[in-house]
Amino acid sequence: MPAPQDPSPQEPAPRDPGYPGPRPEQVTELARLKAFTNPLRMRLYRLLHAAGAATASQLAEQVDEAPSLVSYHLRKLAEHDFVAEAPERARDGRERWWRVAHEGGFGFRDSEFTGTPEGAATTRAVMTALAETRFEQYRHYLAQAPAWGAEWSDAAASSEWVLDLTADELAEMGSDFEALAARWRERSKAAAGSGDGREREHVSLHLYSFPFRP
């Protein structure tokens, strides 16, 4: 299986007025952010964003969990407006389809939550869950890389740079990368919608930028 797209965690809000496509919804309420302290919910959100829409049973097969448990977590995400029902996909009244509520995903700023011990603990828990699930996603790709063939394995990228930046420059660079990824997202959507007939797969782009002292 190709890795599911991960459009969700963009901590700094894009500042470029020319930012293409839908912007990430900024989460500012602690109760909403706490919904993602459960790693399974993050996995479900990613899979749902990649699929466009899915039922609990379809998602349950991908995460190897009971449909009833997946339904429970989808309802919890819906309570916090991260996912919503997609009744237009249902073929009969027994089917319950879900989609992400905001096409641009979501983001949050640490500084809006770290003023209290609970807020700081929540952001750390969410960021840790994000890092763990991202790494698991990449490790899954590495294990299956030979099956993708030379074209896809050669196209996949893994890079690291060490830069000397100010905090403002780091934030600006992050916004530049987000806008670049968003432009490629809109370009791929337009090409797929035009029916160009080219082979496309979900591609997961993970970018980390953070200060450190050797």
Side-chain angles (χ1 to χ4, degrees), residues 46-189:
R46 281 192 174 122
L47 290 170
L48 198 57
H49 209 295
T55 66
S57 295
Q58 291 170 342
L59 294 172
E61 291 181 1
Q62 297 185 65
V63 299
D64 195 25
E65 297 286 355
S68 58
L69 179 63
V70 171
S71 292
Y72 167 80
H73 285 299
L74 288 172
R75 291 195 301 271
K76 286 297 181 182
L77 289 174
E79 287 178 10
H80 294 287
D81 194 32
F82 287 113
V83 306
E85 291 193 52
E88 69 279 2
R89 296 294 299 271
R91 290 169 295 185
D92 57 56
R94 294 173 298 176
E95 283 190 330
R96 193 174 189 182
W97 285 73
W98 298 88
R99 59 172 177 80
V100 296
H102 303 279
E103 186 181 352
F106 74 92
F108 65 91
R109 292 181 181 273
D110 277 10
S111 59
E112 295 193 10
F113 299 100
T114 52
T116 66
E118 183 183 17
T122 298
T123 58
R124 295 287 73 77
V126 172
M127 293 302 293
T128 299
L130 286 169
E132 290 176 347
T133 54
R134 285 170 180 164
F135 178 72
E136 180 59 31
Q137 185 182 38
Y138 186 55
R139 185 166 58 184
H140 182 72
Y141 160 73
L142 291 176
Q144 296 190 339
W148 282 100
E151 181 181 16
W152 284 102
S153 60
D154 287 347
S158 175
S159 303
E160 181 177 352
W161 301 271
V162 176
L163 312 174
D164 294 320
L165 303 175
T166 67
D168 286 343
E169 289 170 340
L170 177 59
E172 182 180 356
M173 184 181 68
S175 294
D176 287 346
F177 275 118
E178 289 170 6
L180 176 65
R183 284 196 294 272
W184 274 96
R185 178 187 61 193
E186 295 305 305
R187 172 177 164 173
S188 65
K189 285 169 55 179

Side-chain angles (χ1 to χ4, degrees), residues 192-209:
S194 70
D196 62 3
R198 300 179 64 186
E199 180 186 7
R200 296 183 182 277
E201 301 285 356
H202 296 308
V203 172
S204 188
L205 174 63
H206 299 171
L207 175 66
Y208 300 92
S209 56

